[in-house]
Amino acid sequence: MAEPVEVPPSATQRRLLDAARDAFGAKGFHGTTTRDIAAAAGMSPAAVYVHHRTKESLLFAISLEGHQATLAALRDAGATAADPTAQLAAMIRRFVHGHTTDHTLARVVNYELAALTPEHRAAIDALRHDIQELIRGVVTAGVATGEFDCADVGMTTNAIMGMSIDVARWYDESKAWPPQRIAEHSAQMALRMAGARAE
Amino acid sequence: MAEPVEVPPSATQRRLLDAARDAFGAKGFHGTTTRDIAAAAGMSPAAVYVHHRTKESLLFAISLEGHQATLAALRDAGATAADPTAQLAAMIRRFVHGHTTDHTLARVVNYELAALTPEHRAAIDALRHDIQELIRGVVTAGVATGEFDCADVGMTTNAIMGMSIDVARWYDESKAWPPQRIAEHSAQMALRMAGARAE
């Protein structure tokens, strides 16, 4: 399978993707029609069709962009820190911060995976695998240096990711703690989960 | 608001609720029609209407039963243990085990909350509050006895619940670890998150 090509979206495409993200977030993928999305983007269904032949193609575009951005953000966060303890904290801080500020996007890309075609699902799963491997790599490195005390790196990585992803479900900007605080607390929890000796 | 009355469902009602749960799990609440549910339950739409006037009433019945069962299971798990450390472990073990074996139910009740009417949402939110308070109470008790080292009980409770709920999203019986093992590992993670001195 060819690597998906990253092309920055045009203003029209941006409006369309944002409208689709909000519609999927509000009514779910299966509960949304392309007509709903066109109306929300202020476009005709025919104009939408020029950009995306199917509703699923919109979901894939949103999901691809979201996962690529997350992967880049985590790599970037990891590069700013020198040791596994600081790297894990920096990555989870960034990851959770993104899952609060872009919670609608995060809900759509995490809860509508089953609606993707098998080919698109495989492309997204490859990116999810890379994201998971980044975190798992840092946990493994920390065990190797003796910074972390962690008997099961795979399950612990899953638990850290689970805690972090679920923030998108419960976060509510009207009443929750500010994103910065949730991100910082999640990073501290991740260090505890990995058995960090110095938190 | 009157307390919802718990009435054990009849065989027909059971078949209907299970069909609705599976349909909502597969296509989302908004992507499912009452006709889909009737067909899956082997009933006519008119027969469904006798039990539930609206699709939302089915979602509420599923959600009410699920949350009541979770609350009872957590109370039960907490009662089997003598101190906050053992109680937190027992509760999270039970909670996560339920979120793997009943993962479709758990996804529906956690991801379709926005589809409930305001009255039904308030009833479910009251049960969710009770569930959250049970966990928070145990974390608070552990801080009081000195078993836990936890600076922010509220955020830590949220993080523990988030990790546990998210298991329903990623769990896949075809390839994941067995429920028992995920439940046990999650309980150990919860103790670490709470800063348990003896894990």
Side-chain angles (χ1 to χ4, degrees):
Chain A
M1 185 182 49
E3 186 77 7
V5 180
E6 223 174 321
V7 180
S10 68
T12 306
Q13 172 76 344
R14 180 77 280 143
R15 208 165 75 235
L16 186 53
L17 292 178
D18 290 353
R21 177 200 61 206
D22 292 346
F24 294 154
K27 301 198 75 180
F29 176 79
H30 294 290
T32 303
T33 64
T34 41
R35 196 167 284 273
D36 294 336
I37 298 167
M43 291 166 73
S44 69
V48 171
Y49 187 78
V50 170
H51 294 273
H52 291 276
R53 297 280 157 113
T54 64
K55 191 173 63 156
E56 189 276 341
S57 146
L58 277 160
L59 177 64
F60 177 57
I62 291 166
S63 199
L64 186 61
E65 189 182 52
H67 282 91
Q68 286 172 334
T70 295
L71 183 59
L74 290 189
R75 283 192 176 133
D76 183 52
T80 64
D83 56 72
T85 301
Q87 283 174 328
L88 182 60
M91 283 179 176
I92 296 305
R93 207 179 278 125
R94 188 78 68 94
F95 189 76
V96 169
H97 196 271
H99 277 63
T100 56
T101 51
D102 289 332
H103 57 87
T104 303
L105 172 67
R107 286 175 201 170
V108 171
V109 309
N110 281 299
Y111 302 151
E112 299 288 5
L113 288 167
L116 293 169
T117 65
E119 293 73 20
H120 288 165
R121 176 66 188 262
I124 297 302
D125 278 350
L127 285 163
R128 292 178 78 86
H129 179 79
D130 288 351
I131 291 168
Q132 185 98 359
E133 283 304 301
L134 263 186
I135 306 288
R136 178 201 279 264
V138 171
V139 177
T140 303
V143 170
T145 63
E147 287 168 60
F148 298 158
D149 168 25
C150 175
D152 191 323
V153 169
M155 291 192 95
T156 301
T157 301
N158 249 37
I160 292 171
M161 300 295 286
M163 169 193 72
S164 304
I165 288 170
D166 195 67
V167 170
R169 182 189 58 76
W170 61 260
Y171 178 71
D172 175 348
E173 61 265 89
S174 70
K175 53 186 174 187
W177 301 281
Q180 209 74 38
R181 201 169 148 216
I182 299 170
E184 187 53 44
H185 186 264
S186 301
Q188 296 309 313
M189 289 291 106
L191 292 181
R192 285 190 166 191
M193 292 160 94
R197 301 196 191 273
E199 277 172 30
Chain B
M1 185 181 48
E3 187 76 6
V5 180
E6 223 173 319
V7 180
S10 69
T12 306
Q13 171 77 341
R14 179 78 279 142
R15 207 164 78 237
L16 186 53
L17 291 178
D18 289 353
R21 176 201 62 207
D22 292 347
F24 294 153
K27 302 198 73 180
F29 175 79
H30 294 290
T32 303
T33 64
T34 41
R35 195 166 286 272
D36 295 336
I37 297 167
M43 292 165 73
S44 70
V48 172
Y49 187 77
V50 170
H51 295 273
H52 291 277
R53 297 281 156 112
T54 65
K55 191 173 62 155
E56 190 274 342
S57 145
L58 278 160
L59 176 64
F60 176 57
I62 292 166
S63 198
L64 186 61
E65 189 182 53
H67 282 91
Q68 284 172 335
T70 294
L71 183 58
L74 290 189
R75 283 192 176 134
D76 183 52
T80 65
D83 56 71
T85 301
Q87 284 175 327
L88 182 60
M91 283 179 175
I92 296 305
R93 207 179 280 123
R94 186 78 69 93
F95 189 75
V96 168
H97 196 271
H99 277 63
T100 57
T101 51
D102 289 331
H103 57 88
T104 303
L105 173 65
R107 285 175 201 170
V108 171
V109 308
N110 280 299
Y111 301 152
E112 299 288 5
L113 288 167
L116 293 168
T117 64
E119 291 74 20
H120 288 165
R121 177 66 189 262
I124 298 301
D125 278 351
L127 284 164
R128 294 179 76 87
H129 178 78
D130 288 351
I131 291 168
Q132 184 98 1
E133 282 303 303
L134 264 186
I135 306 289
R136 179 203 278 263
V138 171
V139 176
T140 304
V143 170
T145 62
E147 287 168 61
F148 298 158
D149 169 25
C150 176
D152 192 322
V153 169
M155 291 192 95
T156 301
T157 302
N158 249 37
I160 291 172
M161 300 295 287
M163 170 193 71
S164 305
I165 289 170
D166 196 66
V167 170
R169 183 189 57 77
W170 61 260
Y171 178 70
D172 176 348
E173 60 265 89
S174 70
K175 55 186 173 187
W177 301 281
Q180 209 75 36
R181 201 167 150 221
I182 298 170
E184 188 51 45
H185 187 264
S186 301
Q188 296 310 314
M189 288 292 105
L191 292 182
R192 285 191 166 191
M193 292 160 93
R197 301 198 190 272
E199 276 173 32

